[in-house]
Amino acid sequence: RRAATGDLSGRVTAVGTGEMAALVESFNKMLEDLEHGREALAKAEREAAWRGMARQIAHEIKNPLTPLKLSAQHLARAYADGAPGFAKLLEECVEMIVQQVDLLGRIASDFSYFAKLPDRRPQETDLNELARGCAQLFSSTIEGKIETRLSLAEGLPALWLDSDEWRRVLANLIKNAIEAMEAGGVLSIETERGETVTLSKGTGRRGGRVEQATARPWVELRIRDTGPGLPEEVREKIFQPYITTKPNGTGLGLAISESIVRANGGELALESRPGGGTSVTIRIPVREVV
């Protein structure tokens, strides 16, 4: 029974000789082989995971390195040849180099954050205020191209969250929505409050059976875009690490976001269809602010 539940550490003490002793010896040998096999499998899985991580990091780092090298070489040749208009060329190349260095920084940040989420510092957080602030961060980059519509429910209860951590979640989701609408569109950010009522049967004062209702309040945040949507094969595994539709993406943004949401007892769901845009919904349980 212990072996069947996965505990392979037990051994049976053999008593006497004959067929029963041989059976006990075979059983102990089987447990030992299974234990060694499990350890070898776990080691192989760890090594495979690290090899996969190393390949992904190498791939992500190589992408920015190529334009960095080309820009530096181009500058060196232009300087040596005394190329006219060198000042303008210098400005363009430096801008390219800074962009690629920023990209390398984002890659390093994503991998570091995914490997070990930082210690949380929860505080009383207004989700509406957080949503407005994150929308404002992108207002200058989408002005005249993408319309932002905020529909934020009044009187939302305060949430006990790490605001910096959740600002990262919202910024990542908004950025994804904006990048999906290269030709323009509408970005919708909505909040809503509600509760889930569950019925449980209990015993009344006089011994009779009664139903008791328990209400669990929650807050929802939805971020929608009117982009081209996601194909089914991508949608099914979009929360897996390293899955991305962007040429310069690490594929860790949604995986990190989902980890943060679930670590706070919340749920994150994505709905999308080709040509129908994408909607991401986060439901967060309301807990007593301490």
Side-chain angles (χ1 to χ4, degrees):
R1 284 196 298 269
R2 286 174 57 187
T5 60
D7 180 4
L8 305 178
S9 61
R11 297 293 184 270
V12 179
T13 303
V15 178
T17 59
E19 293 180 350
M20 185 58 68
L23 175 62
V24 168
E25 184 179 352
S26 298
F27 181 76
N28 287 339
K29 181 66 167 58
M30 179 192 72
L31 290 181
E32 186 177 345
D33 291 344
L34 286 173
E35 197 168 22
H36 290 163
R38 175 189 284 176
E39 292 171 357
L41 178 60
K43 181 181 178 182
E45 289 176 344
R46 286 195 300 269
E47 291 177 351
W50 278 111
R51 282 195 296 270
M53 175 76 80
R55 282 195 299 268
Q56 187 68 23
I57 293 174
H59 173 72
E60 298 294 343
I61 289 177
K62 282 180 182 177
N63 288 335
L65 287 181
T66 299
L68 275 173
K69 181 178 180 181
L70 292 175
S71 296
Q73 290 174 335
H74 188 30
L75 272 178
R77 283 195 301 268
Y79 180 76
D81 296 342
F86 181 75
K88 184 173 182 0
L89 177 63
L90 175 63
E91 183 180 349
E92 292 174 350
C93 287
V94 168
E95 183 180 356
M96 169 66 75
I97 289 172
V98 170
Q99 288 176 353
Q100 298 308 311
V101 170
D102 287 343
L103 176 57
L104 283 170
R106 289 198 302 272
I107 291 170
S109 175
D110 279 352
F111 275 101
S112 175
Y113 203 94
F114 184 71
K116 184 180 184 299
L117 294 178
D119 294 334
R120 293 185 172 87
R121 296 177 176 85
Q123 58 185 344
E124 188 173 327
T125 302
D126 184 332
L127 187 61
N128 283 345
E129 183 180 334
L130 203 62
R132 286 193 197 95
C134 287
Q136 186 63 33
L137 286 175
F138 295 93
S139 59
S140 60
T141 63
I142 63 176
E143 188 174 0
K145 180 181 176 184
I146 295 174
E147 178 187 354
T148 300
R149 297 177 182 173
L150 295 179
S151 178
L152 307 178
E154 296 183 0
L156 288 187
L159 299 174
W160 192 246
L161 304 171
D162 184 321
S163 57
D164 290 337
E165 189 176 55
W166 279 80
R167 191 173 291 109
R168 182 187 183 105
V169 173
L170 269 62
N172 178 65
L173 296 177
I174 293 173
K175 182 171 178 284
N176 285 349
I178 292 172
E179 291 178 348
M181 297 183 286
E182 293 182 355
V186 177
L187 169 66
S188 300
I189 303 175
E190 307 166 358
T191 58
E192 179 186 356
R193 65 181 300 176
E195 60 183 27
T196 301
V197 178
T198 57
L199 297 176
S200 58
K201 293 183 178 180
T203 304
R205 292 181 178 179
R206 298 181 180 181
R209 302 293 289 175
V210 296
E211 285 191 343
Q212 297 175 329
T214 303
R216 292 181 173 86
W218 46 258
V219 170
E220 274 192 355
L221 169 77
R222 285 183 296 277
I223 298 176
R224 300 175 179 172
D225 66 63
T226 56
L230 298 171
E232 184 177 354
E233 61 272 15
V234 174
R235 189 172 65 250
E236 290 178 348
K237 51 186 178 181
I238 194 65
F239 293 113
Q240 296 178 18
Y242 318 130
I243 302 298
T244 181
T245 58
K246 295 178 285 189
N248 292 325
T250 61
L252 291 176
L254 281 176
I256 291 172
S257 297
E258 187 187 36
S259 296
I260 293 172
V261 172
R262 294 197 181 283
N264 286 270
E267 301 174 359
L268 189 150
L270 181 144
E271 295 180 6
S272 182
R273 66 180 188 277
T278 300
S279 174
V280 178
T281 301
I282 297 175
R283 177 173 288 190
I284 312 165
V286 177
R287 294 173 178 150
E288 184 179 351
V289 175
V290 295

